[in-house]
Amino acid sequence: MKERIILNLIYFFSSFILVLLFHILILNRKRKTYTDGKKQTEINYLVKKFKLDLRTTKYKTVLNYVTFINTLVISITFVLVNNIKNFLLSLFIGFIVMLLLIYSLYEIVGRYLKRKEVKKHV
């Protein structure tokens, strides 16, 4: 049991670091300004849903939060799916977990960024 937990932690941290490096070194290099980032659905979602002002909340801050969330979602889903032996069940559970994590984490970060933005205006 202990070995299983340690193995899952190794899987989590190694996948987290690999995906984070991929996002930072490859994907975020192309999206240095907001005009480049407008093509990114996650940033558009946060800006439109929470009515974020990108003059107050810097684009780079939003990009860093999106990068961290995406990396976290992928790593958690990978570890959960990796522990399920049945392919169809793992596919279904992975899809559900990914949807739940994306919705909840983006909601939390959007509210946090909006609260920070409101504090700057006051």
Side-chain angles (χ1 to χ4, degrees):
M1 183 67 176
K2 226 177 198 181
E3 297 89 20
R4 188 99 172 138
I5 293 171
I6 292 172
L7 188 63
N8 283 331
L9 286 173
I10 291 171
Y11 282 155
F12 175 77
F13 286 116
S14 61
S15 66
F16 186 84
I17 290 170
L18 286 173
V19 174
L20 185 66
L21 287 174
F22 175 75
H23 268 276
I24 290 172
L25 296 176
I26 295 174
L27 296 180
N28 287 356
R29 264 198 186 158
K30 298 176 186 175
R31 304 175 182 134
K32 291 189 182 213
T33 63
Y34 179 64
T35 53
D36 298 332
K38 280 184 184 177
K39 300 170 190 160
Q40 195 173 5
T41 309
E42 299 95 338
I43 292 178
N44 284 334
Y45 171 75
L46 284 173
V47 169
K48 288 179 183 173
K49 180 168 187 201
F50 296 101
K51 297 174 182 68
L52 295 176
D53 181 18
L54 285 179
R55 289 172 292 196
T56 307
T57 305
K58 301 291 181 210
Y59 167 73
K60 198 70 170 169
T61 304
V62 177
L63 184 65
N64 288 337
Y65 279 113
V66 166
T67 299
F68 183 75
I69 290 172
N70 288 343
T71 305
L72 194 64
V73 167
I74 291 170
S75 299
I76 290 172
T77 306
F78 169 70
V79 170
L80 288 176
V81 167
N82 195 29
N83 288 317
I84 301 172
K85 301 299 178 212
N86 188 344
F87 176 73
L88 289 177
L89 185 63
S90 67
L91 196 65
F92 179 71
I93 289 177
F95 182 73
I96 298 297
V97 166
M98 191 174 282
L99 285 178
L100 290 172
L101 283 173
I102 287 171
Y103 178 75
S104 60
L105 291 176
Y106 275 98
E107 191 72 25
I108 290 168
V109 167
R111 290 181 185 193
Y112 173 74
L113 289 173
K114 187 62 178 178
R115 193 173 315 134
K116 264 179 56 175
E117 185 178 290
V118 169
K119 283 183 182 179
K120 283 185 181 180
H121 283 294
V122 173

